[in-house]
Amino acid sequence: MAESMKDYEAQLDASFPVIKEGDVLDVTVIGLSDTEVTVDFNYYTEGVIPLEECSEDPAFSIKNDLNIGDTVKAMVLDTENESGSVILSLKAAHDLLVWDELQQDFEDHCVFSVKITDAVPAGVTGYVKGVRAFIPASQLAIGYVEDTESYVGMSVEAVILTVDASAKRLVLSAKTVAKEHAAVEQSQKIGTMSAGDIVTGKIVRMESYGVFIEIGGGIQGLCHISQITNKFLKSPKEVVKLGDTVSAKIIKIEGDRISLSIKALTEDESPVEEESYEIPEEYQNKDTESEDTSPFAALLKGIEL
């Protein structure tokens, strides 16, 4: 009978997986409290994940970020503590696996919503997949940001610029995403325009070859120097200046490039009819059939036209 019990214990032990420190396991959440997570992983005892082994993210909350039934990866820290439980760490498993994920995210150009937690010298920080990430001030928006403190608490969309597992360095760019969104919006706006449209805008840039006109929504068009006026110009400054508001016709759209013509509007105007006037009676020739002997004709006599 004793022999049978030993056989049973051996079979029971063999039915459980062999675990050791450093193993990364798939575990199922079966209990939550403010200080620890209880998990099951088909072992003879339950596993425990203490709060301090859950995440590096200061915003992490056991009850807000985990649910009963969730399956997560955790690393074995202790195969059996004083209470007979296996101690595991979400944080250690995460640190081991997340950098491979972030590298793939970088290659896939994944966009993350990042809540800014701190302003630091030359930029701000936030968390992506539990990893502290840095966003330089030059990469926070399309224009350079001086007041980084104003971004704390805000969320921005960002992509990964640098992922370095060995140095545990993660650098993001919100500027890249903002520029991509702006390009899409600009393309959509340009799509509503067509050659022949009349637009009004301000001259925002002057070059020797023409002027750039802001025609709304951040869209600029180029009016070549030859399209400013019918007169020969050595420089656009001869007829226009920076800040002038002008009207122009769209003459061509190629992708996101818009060609404008200011002179086309004057060419489109109907020619002004010559003013009619009445010849004073004393200068009129009364006899239309005979030679013109009016005083006016006498003035012109002898003059070759």
Side-chain angles (χ1 to χ4, degrees), residues 267-295:
E267 291 173 348
D268 288 346
E269 292 175 359
S270 301
V272 178
E273 294 183 6
E274 294 185 8
E275 294 182 4
S276 60
Y277 58 91
E278 192 172 335
I279 299 175
E281 187 176 349
E282 63 268 27
Y283 287 101
Q284 293 180 13
N285 179 21
K286 306 291 188 196
D287 186 359
T288 58
E289 294 184 0
S290 62
E291 182 183 354
D292 190 351
T293 57
S294 67

Side-chain angles (χ1 to χ4, degrees), residues 11-287:
Q11 291 173 7
L12 187 62
D13 289 340
S15 68
F16 293 112
V18 176
I19 64 169
K20 58 184 183 298
E21 292 180 11
D23 285 349
V24 176
L25 311 174
D26 287 321
V27 299
T28 302
V29 176
I30 59 173
L32 299 170
S33 75
D34 292 330
T35 58
E36 64 182 30
V37 183
T38 305
V39 297
D40 176 68
F41 52 101
N42 295 322
Y43 202 55
Y44 66 85
T45 185
E46 295 173 343
V48 174
I49 305 172
L51 174 61
E52 61 270 19
E53 291 298 333
C54 286
S55 177
E56 294 283 3
D57 189 342
F60 178 86
S61 164
I62 288 178
K63 291 186 176 179
N64 289 337
D65 295 314
L66 292 174
N67 299 289
I68 300 295
D70 284 352
T71 297
V72 295
K73 290 187 180 296
M75 181 182 287
V76 177
L77 298 183
D78 189 345
T79 56
E80 190 173 354
N81 71 348
E82 295 176 354
S83 303
S85 298
V86 178
I87 304 301
L88 302 107
S89 172
L90 287 176
K91 188 167 63 175
H94 174 269
D95 289 345
L96 181 67
L97 303 172
V98 73
W99 291 99
D100 287 339
E101 292 181 18
L102 291 171
Q103 179 63 41
Q104 189 62 53
D105 293 335
F106 166 69
E107 294 171 8
D108 293 341
H109 197 70
C110 291
V111 178
F112 297 95
S113 179
V114 183
K115 184 174 182 179
I116 307 302
T117 55
D118 292 291
V120 296
V124 297
T125 61
Y127 285 82
V128 173
K129 293 188 172 181
V131 175
R132 190 169 184 261
F134 173 63
I135 306 177
S138 61
Q139 294 295 324
L140 197 47
I142 292 177
Y144 183 80
V145 176
E146 291 283 352
D147 181 17
T148 55
E149 288 282 354
S150 64
Y151 276 77
V152 176
M154 292 175 55
S155 290
V156 297
E157 289 189 325
V159 293
I160 298 172
L161 276 186
T162 304
V163 53
D164 186 342
S166 59
K168 295 191 180 302
R169 183 168 175 262
L170 187 63
V171 182
L172 310 177
S173 172
K175 178 179 181 178
T176 299
V177 179
K179 289 179 74 172
E180 289 172 354
H181 287 335
V184 170
E185 290 176 7
Q186 179 169 306
S187 179
Q188 290 173 341
K189 289 175 183 176
I190 292 176
T192 65
M193 302 176 178
S194 58
D197 288 351
I198 308 300
V199 294
T200 299
K202 185 179 291 186
I203 296 175
V204 293
R205 181 176 149 203
M206 301 187 74
E207 301 291 348
S208 60
Y209 53 83
V211 297
F212 288 87
I213 304 170
E214 166 76 56
I215 57 176
I219 299 172
Q220 294 182 14
L222 170 64
C223 182
H224 190 267
I225 189 170
S226 65
Q227 292 296 326
I228 295 176
T229 177
N230 283 317
K231 298 177 182 178
F232 174 77
L233 300 177
K234 291 183 178 179
S235 168
K237 294 179 181 179
E238 294 177 38
V239 290
V240 292
K241 64 181 182 296
L242 202 64
D244 278 356
T245 298
V246 295
S247 293
K249 176 187 279 191
I250 297 175
I251 54 176
K252 187 177 3 177
I253 298 176
E254 292 180 327
D256 60 351
R257 292 185 298 179
I258 300 175
S259 299
L260 302 172
S261 175
I262 295 173
K263 77 176 186 179
L265 296 185
T266 57
E267 291 173 348
D268 288 346
E269 292 175 359
S270 301
V272 178
E273 294 183 6
E274 294 185 8
E275 294 182 4
S276 60
Y277 58 91
E278 192 172 335
I279 299 175
E281 187 176 349
E282 63 268 27
Y283 287 101
Q284 293 180 13
N285 179 21
K286 306 291 188 196
D287 186 359

